[in-house]
Amino acid sequence: MATRHYRVPGLSRGFTVVELLVAIAIVLVLAVLLFTFARGAFESAKSAQCIERLRQAGTIMISSATNQNHRIRIFKGGSGSFEQRPYFILRNEMALPEDTYEAHYGTLSTIMFCPAAPEPKTPHWNCYGLNFTNSAAAGATWIHEHIRDQQGREAQVSSLSMVSVQDPSRFVLIADSCRNDGQQIFRISGSDRIGLRHKGKANTFLLDGSARSLDPTELG
């Protein structure tokens, strides 16, 4: 018996140009939405990682101050006393090798650098920034002094007594930092400023031991 083929009216016609354009538009919209969602999730993950790094770095920094009468003492500028830069303070507190950058860079790169920032050019220079600005709201005042190190080189050193700060929860100790070229900088003072790197906010570590993202109004 011969097989008969039946054609259902309307199913054999192809797509019209309008239908194809509508389908393409829907696919493009879905692709944009998916890309936006994925990028947002990726940025949020980096921000969360950054906050955790700041919390770890800040905790170590505060721990180091207990051996100096609860005073945070940091290199600010000059030709000497580099050991008091935040990068090296953490290295020494963690008992990492001192001979070469390569010996400790792998560890400190997961603590002192924002994952959303450009790759640091010079590790001990390009890292999270110490906030050297005074805060009337927190009642925090840095004391600045000029010293000479053991090699006779001059340096500017700033110190902050943690017990003298009236409201530690309002003082940003370490934060995302930024120079004019977008690189991080180990200090936040003057033209070296806080970097609003995470959706218009900066990740910070406060003197009370908390770490969170702050917008410009919260930063003051």
Side-chain angles (χ1 to χ4, degrees):
M1 180 183 292
T3 302
R4 295 184 179 182
H5 299 278
Y6 295 93
R7 185 179 65 180
V8 179
L11 290 184
S12 61
R13 69 182 182 86
F15 289 108
T16 65
V17 174
V18 174
E19 289 172 332
L20 284 173
L21 291 176
V22 170
I24 292 172
I26 292 174
V27 171
L28 289 176
V29 170
L30 291 175
V32 170
L33 291 175
L34 180 61
F35 175 78
T36 301
F37 174 79
R39 184 177 64 179
F42 185 65
E43 291 177 352
S44 296
K46 278 192 172 183
S47 181
Q49 186 181 25
C50 177
I51 289 176
E52 185 54 38
R53 290 183 178 188
L54 277 166
R55 181 180 289 110
Q56 187 175 0
T59 300
I60 297 173
M61 188 66 65
I62 288 178
S63 176
S64 72
T66 60
N67 299 323
Q68 302 186 68
N69 196 26
H70 299 284
R71 184 176 295 275
I72 298 172
R73 196 163 184 263
I74 304 292
F75 167 91
K76 188 179 181 183
S79 60
S81 196
F82 297 149
E83 292 296 305
Q84 290 176 299
R85 287 182 177 177
Y87 182 93
F88 292 119
I89 289 177
L90 262 68
R91 181 199 66 185
N92 295 338
E93 282 294 307
M94 298 174 70
L96 297 176
E98 300 181 14
D99 47 354
T100 63
Y101 279 133
E102 291 75 14
H104 57 256
Y105 177 80
T107 298
L108 288 181
S109 64
T110 63
I111 300 176
M112 286 301 289
F113 309 134
C114 172
E119 180 69 20
K121 296 178 180 178
T122 307
H124 71 269
W125 188 273
N126 302 111
C127 59
Y128 286 126
L130 261 289
N131 179 22
F132 286 106
T133 58
N134 297 328
S135 172
T141 303
W142 287 91
I143 297 176
H144 308 291
E145 58 180 317
H146 290 268
I147 65 171
R148 287 183 179 273
D149 63 16
Q150 295 179 346
Q151 287 74 38
R153 299 171 300 185
E154 294 185 355
Q156 302 171 42
V157 177
S158 298
S159 59
L160 176 70
S161 172
M162 294 192 299
V163 296
S164 69
V165 179
Q166 299 172 15
D167 190 352
S169 67
R170 300 187 66 180
F171 184 72
V172 173
L173 179 63
I174 309 176
D176 286 325
S177 56
C178 187
R179 300 190 307 190
N180 290 330
D181 60 3
Q183 284 278 338
Q184 298 180 105
I185 182 70
F186 76 93
R187 62 192 175 205
I188 296 172
S189 178
S191 61
D192 299 324
R193 58 198 184 279
I194 289 180
L196 304 176
R197 188 171 289 118
H198 302 281
K199 298 180 180 179
K201 295 183 177 182
N203 289 334
T204 64
F205 175 85
L206 294 101
L207 197 57
D208 67 346
S210 64
R212 58 183 183 269
S213 185
L214 301 178
D215 63 31
T217 58
E218 295 171 310
L219 288 167

